Amino acid sequence: MHTLLQTLSDIVGPSHLLTAPELRARYETDCTGRYHGHAHCVVRPATTAQTSAVLAACHAHRCPVVPQGGNSGLVGGAVPHDAVVLSTERLNRLSPIDTAAAEVVAEAGVRLEILQNACQAAGLVFGVDMASRGSATIGGMVSTNAGGLHVLRYGSMRAQIIGVEAVQADGTIFGKIPGLRKDNTGYNFPSLLTGAEGTLAVVTRAHLLLHPALPHTCTALLALADIESAVILTAHLRLHLPSLHALEIFFAEGMHIVAEHFQQSLPFPEEHSTYLLVECADTTNPLAQLAAALTRPEVQDAAVAEDSVGRERLWRWRERHTEAIRSIGIPHKLDIALPLRSFPAFTREVHRQIIDIAPHAQTILFGHIGDGNLHVNILGLSPDDMTIDEAVFRLVSSYGGSISAEHGIGKTKRPYLLLHRSSEEVSLMRQMKEVFDPHGILNPEVLL
């Protein structure tokens, strides 16, 4: 290890090789506080060439490497266990935006919020947005195939990627930057690396697709009687509202936690079970279109805003869920996907099963109902107790859903991968892993 540390120091410079416990600490614990690990060191390369040299050195010493971006993952996928943490935070350069082509090249450590600000200044938008925009990095979003708030409009991270540059475990650099939107010359490596959670290669740059900014936006917070009403209304809005930009769901439990933590008054005078947050965006004002779509018996009350201050106020009820939940304790955060028709039965059954197993536990659900993504948050459990996690994953599988919608498998869900993937598919994944990383040094405890 001493020899490896000296080599890494020579590559990145002594100030960018962190070995002291107090300097490693923030890289060894995830953002939920549920997962903790130990890093031999944290190495922070500033270029693809340095990243290549770092990986080649670790490969020669057969030392495990955990790539880490903003460390905002929720499944322990970037937490080291006796490994070198390869932080991408110095890979933070953003190329000038190509406004004619609506494209940009971003290094892996560029934070989503930085990219969004640059796009806004150019009259463009990036298709993926999420509440963790201040910490999430492009490399991490590629690695987990991040989804977020606008998947129903633009698709997940995979749909935004034109090309990637990456480094294999042995230091080999591959990929094509800039890429081409149409390039049918064999296997699509950018698509393969997206969602691979850093187990095949370390992404250092991504060539990203951008979209025209839509100047007119309006947002509505809708109060509904129950989850069945939300499913009916969701199906109606997706069919009859072409300007639909975001469609989020949460429930009374989450609403009250947010109100209490942030000392806010509830938005409606009466109590309601279920809430939808609907956002439309278009080249012309979509307010009349939205209002017409909301003349439905499912809508019991509504608050609508066109101005940025009002829309931000409505969005807070959804986006502050994570912070409010974290203020109560360390949650088990389970990110799942379901067919829309299964939402009502699943939400009722998951509450019942959790109460049966742990009567003291508190369950808060919210998510992106427009693309079938639900976040199951459970408070009051030991961080290491996987009993309820397993029960939830098995329930999801019974409804034809996925145990991971947008946060990856990580370490948490690895034992349950066969609930959604066949043994033949997992075998193919292992074969791919062996080709890219024959000694298994890249994120060795993640996914497989």
Side-chain angles (χ1 to χ4, degrees), residues 106-340:
E107 289 189 331
V110 171
R111 298 189 184 274
L112 175 58
E113 191 171 55
I114 299 298
L115 172 60
Q116 289 175 328
N117 291 340
C119 290
Q120 183 179 22
L124 297 165
V125 295
F126 183 58
V128 178
D129 187 23
M130 58 188 72
S132 60
R133 60 186 67 87
S135 57
T137 64
I138 297 303
M141 292 168 65
V142 172
S143 294
T144 58
N145 190 27
L149 305 172
H150 299 142
V151 168
L152 80 168
R153 186 76 175 249
Y154 300 119
S156 61
M157 196 69 186
R158 186 174 278 116
Q160 321 305 320
I161 296 174
I162 301 169
V164 298
E165 174 187 79
V167 185
Q168 286 180 247
D170 64 358
T172 301
I173 301 169
F174 70 103
K176 184 178 284 294
I177 297 276
L180 296 168
R181 296 201 189 201
K182 299 185 75 173
D183 183 359
N184 197 27
T185 52
Y187 302 133
N188 190 302
F189 291 111
S191 186
L192 179 61
L193 296 183
T194 305
E197 302 186 61
T199 61
L200 300 180
V202 177
V203 172
T204 52
R205 289 194 297 165
H207 186 186
L208 302 171
L209 171 69
L210 305 177
H211 307 273
L214 298 170
H216 299 280
T217 306
C218 56
T219 305
L221 179 61
L222 311 179
L224 311 176
D226 49 38
I227 181 67
E228 284 84 0
S229 298
V231 169
I232 292 169
L233 189 57
T234 292
H236 174 78
L237 294 176
R238 286 166 63 175
L239 287 174
H240 297 94
L241 200 55
S243 61
L244 191 60
H245 199 58
L247 190 54
E248 302 289 298
I249 190 168
F250 54 97
F251 300 90
E253 301 93 337
M255 177 78 84
H256 282 286
I257 288 173
V258 172
E260 182 176 348
H261 179 66
F262 292 99
Q263 298 183 335
Q264 291 180 256
S265 299
L266 293 172
F268 302 113
E270 295 182 10
E271 181 80 14
H272 300 275
S273 160
T274 306
Y275 299 89
L276 282 185
L277 193 143
V278 183
E279 185 162 274
C280 294
D282 212 335
T283 54
T284 58
N285 192 337
L287 181 60
Q289 187 184 93
L290 174 61
L294 296 183
T295 56
R296 298 276 302 179
E298 295 85 16
V299 180
Q300 296 189 330
D301 207 343
V304 181
E306 292 181 89
D307 63 292
S308 59
V309 174
R311 289 190 298 103
E312 182 182 347
R313 185 167 56 246
L314 296 180
W315 268 105
R316 285 176 193 157
W317 290 108
R318 164 60 182 85
E319 290 202 323
R320 287 182 167 180
H321 267 62
T322 298
E323 183 179 344
I325 291 168
R326 196 179 299 144
S327 72
I328 300 173
I330 297 175
H332 286 224
K333 300 181 73 67
L334 311 180
D335 154 56
I336 59 99
L338 292 162
L340 183 61

Side-chain angles (χ1 to χ4, degrees), residues 63 98 109 132 190 358 383 396 401 404:
C63 182
D98 184 341
S132 60
V396 169
S404 177

